[in-house]
Amino acid sequence: MLAYEKAILSPRQAFEYKWNISVNTAGGIGRNIPNDNLVEITVHTIKEQLRAQGANVTFESAATAALAVQVSNAVKNNLAEASASGSQTSKTDKSKDIEMIVHELIKADIFAERPGRTHVAYPDFVDPVKRVNIKALHDWLSKQKLRAANEMYV
């Protein structure tokens, strides 16, 4: 590039070469991509559109797709910019609200166990932990630990 710019090309051609070697499709500093990459992206997009047409692809539809790609990309980018530039909902800090709710629940003592308290939706609810046979659970866990120890080092 430097040889073209300094020695081979005329000053006008060198200027055009230097500034037409990349394109910025996303906006912002440092977001340029080489022109050949842009061509590859465009060809990929055209091929996607042609694949979507399936067996209905004709020379005319391919030509229309090729011409429409840049226009549709420009419209899509303009819509994205327009929607991004509008007002955005600010993030609110919910921690104080959650703390207040937790303090109210603790103050109401809802987590305390009260004998005979039931919910109308679950009148026959039995605590599943009360159904556990601790001796049988301990025996089963001991057998599983022995089995795991034996099978891990085989």
Side-chain angles (χ1 to χ4, degrees), residues 3-135:
Y4 272 116
E5 203 177 316
K6 301 292 182 187
I8 299 172
L9 299 174
S10 70
R12 183 176 159 270
Q13 290 173 329
F15 179 83
E16 287 181 8
Y17 178 76
K18 179 179 181 179
W19 296 108
N20 288 330
I21 201 164
S22 65
V23 66
N24 188 329
T25 60
I29 298 172
R31 301 178 93 184
N32 291 357
I33 61 170
N35 281 337
D36 56 342
N37 286 5
L38 179 63
V39 170
E40 289 178 18
I41 292 168
T42 305
V43 167
H44 179 73
T45 306
I46 292 169
K47 286 182 178 180
E48 280 181 352
Q49 288 184 354
L50 295 178
R51 271 190 228 108
Q53 292 179 9
N56 298 327
V57 175
T58 64
F59 180 79
E60 290 80 22
S61 67
T64 304
L67 293 173
V69 165
Q70 289 180 330
V71 174
S72 65
N73 282 343
V75 169
K76 183 174 69 173
N77 290 339
N78 286 342
L79 287 173
E81 287 175 15
S83 65
S85 65
S87 63
Q88 294 180 350
T89 306
S90 61
K91 301 246 179 196
T92 56
D93 183 20
K94 299 175 187 169
S95 60
K96 290 184 180 181
D97 295 335
I98 293 171
E99 282 181 34
M100 182 196 65
I101 292 170
V102 168
H103 286 302
E104 289 295 318
L105 293 174
I106 290 172
K107 191 166 66 174
D109 202 26
I110 66 156
F111 299 112
E113 185 175 335
R114 295 191 186 135
R117 178 168 63 175
T118 61
H119 190 277
V120 292
Y122 308 104
D124 300 326
F125 178 79
V126 178
D127 187 6
V129 176
K130 291 182 180 176
R131 296 184 193 170
V132 174
N133 182 341
I134 301 298
K135 170 105 174 80

